[in-house]
Amino acid sequence: MDLSSVQPILNWLNEHPQWIGISILLVAFIESLAIVGIIVPGVVLLFGIAVLAGTGALSLAETFVWAGAGAILGDGVSYYLGRYYHQTIKSIWPFSKYPAWFENGERFFKQHGGKSVAIGRFVGPIRPVIPMVAGMLDMPAGRFFAINCCSAMAWAPVYTIPGYLVGASTQLAIDVPGGLLWGLVGCFVSVAILTWLLNQLCQCYLPSQSRYQALTERYSHRAWWRVLKSRRPHVHFAFPINPCWLLLVSLSCWLLLFILMPNSTWSTANQWVSITLHPLEHPLLQPIFKAIGLLSEWQHISIISLVMVGWMWHQRYRGHALVLFVSVAAASVWPLLKHGMQLSLTQSHATEIISHHTLLSSLLYAQIATLIAYERPAKQQWWILYIGLLPSLLVTLSLVTLNLVSFSAAISGLLLGLVLCCLCRVAVSPLDRNPIHSTTSLFILLGLLLMVGGLYIHIQLNTVI
């Protein structure tokens, strides 16, 4: 990345490090401001300042806070400009020079609705105008700022971590093989492709309406069909065909990998993964892996679950609330009885056959993803499910890298959590009464979950050994 255009600013900040936090906020603000963010080289400048922050001027958490606050303010100002001037802002300089951007932004917003605020933050061609368009089209302020805050929490790490790590690497020697990094990227891309393929297969193998009617006539008198079918009116498939199919696939994979596959194969795989990930055992990266690992502690899982259950109960999604509470509570019983209330990442669980950390995390985060994805169009479901899988994948990588669990136990817990998630999706079908819509309260909930997770990590990180 060419930093020559902003080098004088970086030189000044290097001499006055006390201004680095404020400068990150200002650059993030300008980068998120309508039109201005395209004219000013905000990404380059933010990368350069993050490099300075990584040399020890700021902690990683402080860098996130400054960047996130600037992004929220920048989009907020753009929103209120659009809300105040409405269509007349198109005739005001400098906005009058870019009519095509507004046309594309309005078209994108009308197509994707409120979620375009989150998508637009990461998509270059529409990024400079989406918040302003949201204000012009009178998007409710509460919903806008809920999405704005949630997306800013994701935007800040994406745009600052690369520079921060570069700066930190100048202070500590890191020798991470390029092949390892590409391998990790390949793993995450492979999971994304697999998620997409499974979603496509689910859609392809759904029966036609006439075929489903024939299945209904054939099996509707059976007790299992009557018990599992949904009571919600106006649904295309009252019987949970897709969840049953995914339950069969995930359970078959788990049985094939961990019952039929020889233990010697997994022993070899554990040793190979341990050697491969050894370069990541570095003082700079350890706090990051520990912070991610904390997302799988049963205390954090319990807090997130209770928040989710409370929200669903208040929104009258009582069946979903009941299934989520029972599933997480039941999955927590075995590790708590085995390890007691002190179950945490301060203990090593390398001898476990199934990692309860990856099991609980995949069970919870996958359920949240399926809860949201179930009501969305088929073409959107796969990436929602993938986003739901990401925390569990990162937890798996972190725990294995920290040598807290073996690779086989982490993967076993991850897959078993997905099996239980599919089972929960089947179990919730007869209790399903109302569709879950993408309302403002849902985005506020997601923002609250992110805040709870961040606060828990902040409190617990210093106590993790």
Side-chain angles (χ1 to χ4, degrees):
M1 184 175 290
D2 185 12
L3 300 176
S4 59
S5 60
V6 297
Q7 195 61 49
I9 299 175
L10 297 179
N11 291 338
W12 186 87
L13 286 172
N14 192 37
E15 297 172 0
H16 304 84
Q18 67 272 21
W19 291 97
I20 288 180
I22 295 294
S23 64
I24 290 176
L25 183 143
L26 290 176
V27 173
F29 172 80
I30 294 171
E31 172 66 17
S32 303
L33 200 59
I35 305 299
V36 181
I38 292 296
I39 301 172
V40 177
V43 175
V44 176
L45 191 53
L46 192 60
F47 177 86
I49 301 175
V51 171
L52 296 178
T55 60
L58 291 177
S59 68
L60 188 60
E62 290 173 326
T63 305
F64 290 167
V65 170
W66 285 113
I72 292 171
L73 290 174
D75 273 11
V77 170
S78 301
Y79 169 81
Y80 276 113
L81 284 173
R83 183 117 180 182
Y84 182 80
Y85 288 102
H86 286 92
Q87 296 296 329
T88 58
I89 201 168
K90 296 179 181 178
S91 60
I92 301 175
W93 184 91
F95 308 112
S96 58
K97 297 177 63 177
Y98 307 96
W101 288 3
F102 283 97
E103 292 177 6
N104 293 335
E106 289 187 35
R107 188 182 307 114
F108 189 85
F109 187 87
K110 290 176 181 177
Q111 179 181 356
H112 297 282
K115 62 180 176 291
S116 60
V117 176
I119 299 172
R121 193 180 286 281
F122 299 92
V123 180
I126 58 170
R127 176 171 52 83
V129 294
I130 283 295
M132 186 171 285
V133 167
M136 290 166 54
L137 299 181
D138 292 320
M139 180 179 179
R143 187 182 185 196
F144 171 82
F145 278 101
I147 303 174
N148 181 24
C149 293
C150 291
S151 61
M153 292 178 188
W155 179 89
V158 170
Y159 275 72
T160 57
I161 281 181
Y164 192 93
L165 291 180
V166 169
S169 65
T170 62
Q171 307 299 307
L172 297 169
I174 302 179
D175 183 20
V176 179
L180 173 58
L181 296 179
W182 282 113
L184 293 176
V185 171
C187 289
F188 283 91
V189 172
S190 300
V191 173
I193 295 173
L194 181 61
T195 306
W196 179 81
L197 287 174
L198 282 175
N199 185 66
Q200 292 297 110
L201 287 173
C202 285
Q203 303 307 317
C204 290
Y205 284 97
L206 275 177
S208 62
Q209 199 62 38
S210 58
R211 174 61 177 163
Y212 178 75
Q213 188 62 34
L215 290 174
T216 303
E217 293 174 357
R218 181 175 181 179
Y219 296 111
S220 59
H221 65 283
R222 301 289 181 89
W224 53 269
W225 183 283
R226 294 197 304 271
V227 168
L228 294 179
K229 74 173 184 178
S230 174
R231 306 302 190 269
R232 191 202 299 182
H234 311 300
V235 291
H236 292 294
F237 301 105
F239 189 83
I241 296 176
N242 268 354
C244 288
W245 188 83
L246 289 174
L247 174 62
L248 180 63
V249 171
S250 57
L251 182 58
S252 299
C253 289
W254 186 82
L255 292 173
L256 175 65
L257 292 174
F258 297 100
I259 302 299
L260 300 181
M261 187 175 290
N263 291 335
S264 58
T265 303
W266 279 114
S267 298
T268 304
N270 290 338
Q271 294 176 3
W272 181 83
V273 170
S274 179
I275 295 172
T276 303
L277 296 181
H278 180 71
L280 296 180
E281 298 177 18
H282 192 278
L284 173 64
L285 302 176
Q286 291 287 303
I288 298 175
F289 289 132
K290 289 176 181 177
I292 296 173
L294 286 169
L295 296 177
S296 65
E297 282 198 336
W298 79 269
Q299 296 94 329
H300 174 262
I301 296 293
S302 299
I303 294 170
I304 296 296
S305 300
L306 290 176
V307 172
M308 282 290 300
V309 168
W311 178 84
M312 288 188 291
W313 196 269
H314 179 264
Q315 297 292 323
R316 297 187 181 278
Y317 306 130
R318 307 286 171 82
H320 293 280
L322 180 63
V323 170
L324 177 62
F325 178 80
V326 171
S327 62
V328 173
S332 303
V333 169
W334 164 65
L336 285 177
L337 289 177
K338 184 177 180 180
H339 298 282
M341 297 300 288
Q342 299 303 316
L343 173 64
S344 70
L345 293 181
T346 58
Q347 305 169 347
S348 175
H349 307 281
T351 59
E352 289 186 341
I353 300 175
I354 301 174
S355 169
H356 52 268
H357 286 97
T358 56
L359 187 154
L360 285 173
S361 62
S362 63
L363 173 61
L364 175 63
Y365 300 130
Q367 278 200 74
I368 295 175
T370 56
L371 193 72
I372 299 172
Y374 185 74
E375 308 294 343
R376 308 307 302 168
K379 62 181 180 180
Q380 298 178 10
Q381 291 179 351
W382 78 269
W383 60 263
I384 297 175
L385 294 173
Y386 179 63
I387 292 175
L389 285 174
L390 275 180
S392 302
L393 294 175
L394 291 173
V395 163
T396 300
L397 173 64
S398 300
L399 297 183
V400 174
T401 302
L402 293 171
N403 290 318
L404 292 174
V405 298
S406 64
F407 174 70
S408 59
I411 297 300
S412 178
L414 180 68
L415 283 178
L416 193 56
L418 295 179
V419 171
L420 295 177
C421 177
C422 294
L423 185 62
C424 291
R425 188 65 245 181
V426 174
V428 84
S429 180
L431 305 174
D432 189 13
R433 297 291 189 272
N434 304 304
I436 297 179
H437 299 294
S438 298
T439 59
T440 301
S441 64
L442 178 59
F443 289 104
I444 293 175
L445 170 69
L446 295 177
L448 179 61
L449 295 181
L450 289 173
M451 291 176 61
V452 169
L455 182 61
Y456 182 84
I457 290 174
H458 177 73
I459 294 173
Q460 296 292 331
L461 188 56
N462 292 332
T463 66
V464 178
I465 298 176

